[in-house]
Amino acid sequence: MKKEMLTGNTAAAWGARLAEVDYIPAFPITPQTEIIETLSDWISEGDMRTRFVTLDSEHSMITAAGAASATGVRVFTATSSQGLMYGFEMLYTVAGWRVPLVMINVARGLSSPITLGPDHNDILAARDTGFLQIHCENCQEVLDSVLMAYRVAEDEKVLLPALVNLDGFYLSFTREPVEVPDIDSVRRFLPSYEPSHAFFRADQPMAQGVAVLGGAYYSYFKYQMHLASQQALGVYKEACREFEKEFGRKYDTIEQYRLDDAEYVLVMINSFSTLGKAAVNRAREQGIKAGLLRPRLLRPFPEEDIRNALKGKKRVAVVDQNISVGKGGILFSELASCLYNEKHRPLLMSFIGGLGGKNISHEEFAFIFDQLIKGEEAEVETPHLLYTQHEWEEMQKLKEIAGRV
Amino acid sequence: MITEQIKSIKDLPLEENMFSGTPACAGCGGLLTLRHCLKMLGEKVVIVNAAGCFTLLSIYPFTPFRSSWLYTAMACAPAGAQGVRDALDILLEKGKIDPDENLKVVVLTGDGSAYDMGLSSTSGAIYRNLDFYYICYDNEAYGNTGFQESGSTPFASRTKTTSAGKEFAKKDLFEIWNSHKPPYLATISPAYPVDLANKFKKAEQYKGPKLFISLIPCPPGWSTDPSHTFKLAKLAVDTGVWALKESISGEVEHTVVPKKFKPVEDYLKEQGRFSHLFKPVRNEETLGKIQEMVNEYWKRYGILL
């Protein structure tokens, strides 16, 4: 095991390298490019024995990835934002093929307006496709999650593709010390892929992705995918235990930060959770019993673990880094549906922040805790967009320049 | 390598690699083409299918093929073929499959995908010199959804979205593909199975994209009698509407040139999709223009009709 300074992107590339993937179909998009460039370099320098091919679009890339996986090799690919959208049709298709490829999404806001900063509308749009979803806070977690994603996706009880998400810029280009495991321990944790289900062989012809005529058959296969995804919860937990045994790092479906005695809880995902944790520390210094819950796994959704973690909590603020236009925060809806049948459920408040990479300041977190403490007396609209006076004024200046005031 | 030519229909392989009883329409010219193609390709094949009429050949739990099948989507069957081919190569390199157990990767698509939505991924696959076969069954419209205009619909043809007859000429997919200079490219017809068979035999020698476009009559879309499919496919060639040709690394040669071309009208008048050119009054101008377009084509190759 060695420690290296890696960006989130190179940590993702290391994950693929250590998983000894057979095949990488690629298409570039900012801020994902560093992943495929790194892998391409390693392959051309002989550090990886992997077939690398550049496709004509993400739609083709995801198709090639799925088709190769269906033929029986271990496949890795990566995309971002509009790229994920462009290949979106094929997310459903390859998930239906029940093939265990792993794809990175480097989260980035969606057009329009076009931007490069991150939010989670891209990845969360894919939550219903059948892909498993692991969300990462730091670079170490990115590398580790790629290994875990294969472990879970390739399990015979699961056989679904997986998306590993990291935030563009905030994590993709953040350099952190990352423990790069040695190949022998990775091989113990993740042996080479020997499919017993999906493959094309001359002596065993198979029709894959065939039409089903009739809702009853369609329902059957869709529900099988749902059950497989739910099975993935247990498989993932088992993978976490074995991962800890092999590498010493502990993961779970959720991360609980100062949550034991907390009364006021932030729910956040991905790299901005680090800001949330700092806010929890500051709130604690002021005597507020604050804590943070970070779901790591979003599909399957770890409902039971979330319910247990939030048992007895007074108030919960879901800080969504996404916006479902016409509804509000997507995670808020997920949390609300998860807690609805609880007898004693905490008050849930919805905040939307960090869209397109907009910073969430100390003051804004202080405002959130202030509102949580006020509880039902709080005077915010739901969902409440986190937006400072200063940002508002800056926006007015731009509008003046554009001549549309 | 010189392969022995197939001289008559009696020399065609007797093996069937696609069984009867599919849900395709009666008299489907595409099915007839595919049957001949698969005779030549053998049984060690993976068919990668784009959305189209033939999506419905494999309906769970049945498949009419001896070989494997993967349904992708409308725009991306060539990309699916890329993934399958690359994975097979990886497995061959690793010794996980025997070289004689290698599979031919075949894209199967209608004209809607080939001429329109799938053009980008096809161009990509040809440009990457992907070692695969590509078969386009071209009935000149979106047949699976009830016959709407596609990029392949010919001038003046009536479809459900061109009720007065199509305004533009058909895209020249052969030339679009040919500009990529693939090692082997051909047009085929189910009415000329010997020509078809020899083209597959020839194509086998080349590594890289091997592309085939087959003009196929579509009885429901063309409003023709299912029993006339063969006759119509033959008329398309004999009138010069469908030129049987091949191109090796960009050099085009015609493989069947009728000794005496029949008038295009003989082909058009058989089909409901062109009936508006004859009834209630003959549209001499359009009929003349269609004949002129065919003449122009052959003139380019020094053949006068």
Side-chain angles (χ1 to χ4, degrees):
Chain A
M1 189 128 30
K2 54 182 173 172
K3 228 170 199 180
E4 287 196 25
M5 289 297 285
L6 299 181
T7 62
N9 277 342
T10 46
W14 263 107
R17 176 168 167 172
L18 290 167
E20 297 181 291
V21 299
D22 297 302
Y23 186 51
I24 302 171
F27 191 84
I29 180 171
T30 301
Q32 155 266 29
T33 36
E34 192 187 19
I35 299 176
I36 58 159
E37 286 172 0
T38 305
L39 290 166
S40 170
D41 277 351
W42 283 339
I43 291 163
S44 54
E45 284 159 19
D47 295 327
M48 278 179 86
R49 288 183 57 209
T50 303
R51 188 174 283 247
F52 179 92
V53 56
T54 50
L55 274 292
D56 44 279
S57 71
E58 288 90 350
H59 193 281
S60 286
M61 175 186 95
I62 294 168
T63 306
S69 195
T71 312
V73 299
R74 185 175 280 165
V75 183
F76 175 86
T77 189
T79 190
S80 182
S81 182
Q82 300 292 124
L84 189 69
M85 292 299 114
Y86 197 73
F88 207 76
E89 174 191 21
M90 296 314 289
L91 297 181
Y92 279 89
T93 304
V94 303
W97 292 348
R98 305 293 302 271
V99 291
L101 66 95
V102 172
M103 178 155 79
I104 295 275
N105 182 65
V106 187
R108 189 185 112 190
L110 291 169
S111 280
S112 69
I114 192 164
T115 190
L116 297 175
D119 59 43
H120 303 144
N121 266 99
D122 58 352
I123 184 81
L124 291 178
R127 78 196 155 134
D128 306 329
T129 58
F131 272 67
L132 312 170
Q133 285 199 11
I134 303 176
H135 288 246
C136 306
E137 185 184 348
N138 55 48
C139 297
Q140 182 71 60
E141 202 177 337
V142 172
L143 190 158
D144 295 349
S145 294
V146 173
L147 302 177
M148 293 175 79
Y150 281 109
R151 179 67 196 253
V152 179
E154 288 172 3
D155 192 288
E156 286 194 13
K157 293 195 279 298
V158 181
L159 289 174
L160 285 168
L163 272 160
V164 175
N165 192 66
L166 63 128
D167 286 343
F169 296 90
Y170 286 84
L171 200 55
S172 62
F173 301 117
T174 294
R175 211 170 276 274
E176 290 178 339
V178 173
E179 274 188 15
V180 179
D182 64 81
I183 191 67
D184 293 329
S185 37
V186 172
R187 282 176 185 158
R188 276 194 297 274
F189 175 74
L190 181 71
S192 68
Y193 179 48
E194 305 294 339
S196 61
H197 293 82
F199 49 76
F200 298 117
R201 298 289 179 274
D203 57 347
Q204 275 177 284
M206 182 168 72
Q208 173 71 289
V210 297
V212 291
L213 294 187
Y217 314 123
Y218 177 80
S219 307
Y220 171 83
F221 285 113
K222 282 286 168 180
Y223 200 68
Q224 286 296 313
M225 288 168 74
H226 174 66
L227 294 176
S229 189
Q230 294 207 313
Q231 290 269 23
L233 274 175
V235 175
Y236 175 85
K237 281 175 182 266
E238 175 64 28
C240 288
R241 281 192 289 276
E242 291 207 18
F243 192 91
E244 189 186 358
K245 231 188 285 168
E246 192 63 58
F247 305 105
R249 286 185 292 281
K250 196 174 163 67
Y251 293 107
D252 203 342
T253 58
I254 55 173
E255 187 195 351
Q256 308 187 43
Y257 184 74
R258 302 185 83 164
L259 209 55
D260 277 350
D261 64 335
E263 293 177 349
Y264 306 104
V265 181
L266 299 177
V267 176
M268 295 179 75
I269 56 172
N270 291 298
S271 70
F272 275 40
S273 307
T274 307
L275 301 177
K277 286 174 184 173
V280 165
N281 291 344
R282 277 193 303 277
R284 285 272 176 178
E285 280 163 22
Q286 291 157 22
I288 301 166
K289 286 192 165 176
L292 181 139
L293 169 73
R294 177 173 71 96
R296 256 195 107 232
L297 207 58
L298 277 192
R299 281 295 179 274
F301 197 60
E303 298 206 272
E304 203 183 325
D305 291 344
I306 289 173
R307 278 198 286 266
N308 287 337
L310 294 180
K311 214 159 242 162
K313 307 302 174 201
K314 271 191 183 157
R315 281 151 209 161
V316 174
V318 184
V319 184
D320 266 294
Q321 208 175 344
N322 65 77
I323 182 161
S324 173
V325 177
K327 177 68 171 80
I330 295 169
L331 276 184
F332 176 79
S333 297
E334 297 272 312
L335 262 287
S337 74
C338 169
L339 297 173
Y340 182 77
N341 282 335
E342 291 296 277
K343 235 181 198 161
H344 306 288
R345 52 178 190 243
L347 179 79
L348 271 187
M349 295 176 85
S350 173
F351 295 88
I352 289 177
L355 295 183
K358 189 194 96 69
N359 185 37
I360 306 179
S361 62
H362 295 185
E363 292 76 16
E364 284 166 303
F365 278 112
F367 172 78
I368 293 171
F369 281 116
D370 187 45
Q371 298 300 311
L372 281 182
I373 289 160
K374 281 188 187 153
E376 271 144 30
E377 314 295 311
E379 288 170 8
V380 290
E381 282 178 26
T382 295
H384 183 82
L385 177 68
L386 298 169
Y387 206 68
T388 64
Q389 183 66 32
H390 175 71
E391 285 161 346
W392 171 261
E393 283 156 11
E394 289 297 305
M395 189 63 221
Q396 296 316 305
K397 277 187 212 159
L398 295 191
K399 280 166 74 179
E400 268 171 42
I401 295 167
R404 288 278 177 181
V405 179
Chain B
M1 187 170 63
I2 294 163
T3 52
E4 207 174 308
Q5 286 266 315
I6 289 178
K7 291 199 180 69
S8 103
I9 200 157
K10 287 182 198 149
D11 304 329
L12 293 175
L14 291 174
E15 294 81 26
E16 297 291 347
N17 290 317
M18 187 180 64
F19 300 109
S20 54
T22 71
C25 305
C28 173
L31 210 57
L32 193 54
T33 291
L34 182 59
R35 183 180 151 218
H36 290 307
C37 295
L38 288 176
K39 272 175 181 280
M40 300 312 296
L41 288 168
E43 55 183 272
K44 290 180 189 171
V45 164
V46 189
I47 296 169
V48 184
N49 186 70
C53 292
F54 286 179
T55 301
L56 295 176
L57 288 184
S58 286
I59 298 179
Y60 190 82
F62 305 109
T63 177
F65 301 110
R66 253 183 213 287
S67 52
S68 287
W69 161 275
L70 174 69
Y71 169 74
T72 54
M74 191 142 189
C76 57
Q82 180 83 43
V84 174
R85 183 65 264 160
D86 286 339
L88 288 169
D89 288 343
I90 292 163
L91 293 166
L92 283 165
E93 271 168 33
K94 288 191 159 186
K96 286 189 174 181
I97 49 175
D98 230 38
D100 65 338
E101 291 292 286
N102 192 11
L103 298 168
K104 289 174 183 159
V105 183
V106 180
V107 163
L108 182 60
T109 175
D111 54 282
S113 168
Y115 283 72
D116 298 337
M117 204 195 271
L119 198 49
S120 158
S121 66
T122 308
S123 170
I126 304 173
Y127 139 85
R128 287 186 303 268
N129 204 36
L130 179 67
D131 189 28
F132 77 131
Y133 292 82
Y134 187 116
I135 300 166
C136 168
Y137 53 97
D138 180 0
N139 68 350
E140 306 194 311
Y142 286 83
N144 199 29
T145 41
F147 214 69
Q148 298 82 25
E149 174 192 2
S150 84
S152 169
T153 304
F155 170 68
S157 164
R158 201 156 57 188
T159 68
K160 297 265 177 66
T161 48
T162 54
S163 47
K166 196 190 178 190
E167 197 182 336
F168 322 109
K170 182 180 168 107
K171 275 192 208 175
D172 192 343
L173 187 65
F174 186 90
E175 281 305 317
I176 295 171
W177 282 354
N178 202 37
S179 69
H180 293 66
K181 295 196 171 38
Y184 192 81
L185 162 61
T187 55
I188 51 176
S189 163
Y192 284 82
V194 173
D195 177 72
L196 181 156
N198 280 319
K199 283 171 173 168
F200 271 87
K201 279 191 88 123
K202 194 182 256 183
E204 209 173 49
Q205 307 169 61
Y206 298 98
K207 206 171 152 63
K210 296 167 273 283
L211 311 157
F212 300 86
I213 318 172
S214 181
L215 181 74
I216 56 134
C218 164
W222 291 16
S223 306
T224 52
D225 191 296
S227 67
H228 290 174
T229 292
F230 184 86
K231 179 185 160 193
L232 272 165
K234 192 161 180 338
L235 268 173
V237 176
D238 298 348
T239 54
V241 166
W242 188 240
L244 287 176
K245 54 189 168 179
E246 65 185 4
S247 169
I248 294 163
S249 304
E251 290 295 315
V252 181
E253 267 190 50
H254 288 86
T255 56
V256 174
V257 181
K259 282 203 181 78
K260 189 172 179 337
F261 286 85
K262 289 183 174 159
V264 173
E265 201 179 313
D266 288 6
Y267 169 70
L268 301 176
K269 71 181 180 203
E270 297 282 332
Q271 306 173 43
R273 62 176 176 153
F274 293 112
S275 62
H276 58 291
L277 301 181
F278 300 94
K279 286 181 291 193
V281 283
R282 275 178 68 91
N283 185 338
E284 294 295 353
E285 192 191 334
T286 305
L287 287 168
K289 193 168 172 194
I290 296 172
Q291 182 68 59
E292 189 50 37
M293 286 161 85
V294 175
N295 295 356
E296 281 295 319
Y297 171 84
W298 289 100
K299 214 159 80 182
R300 263 192 279 156
Y301 294 96
I303 298 164
L304 293 174
L305 267 63

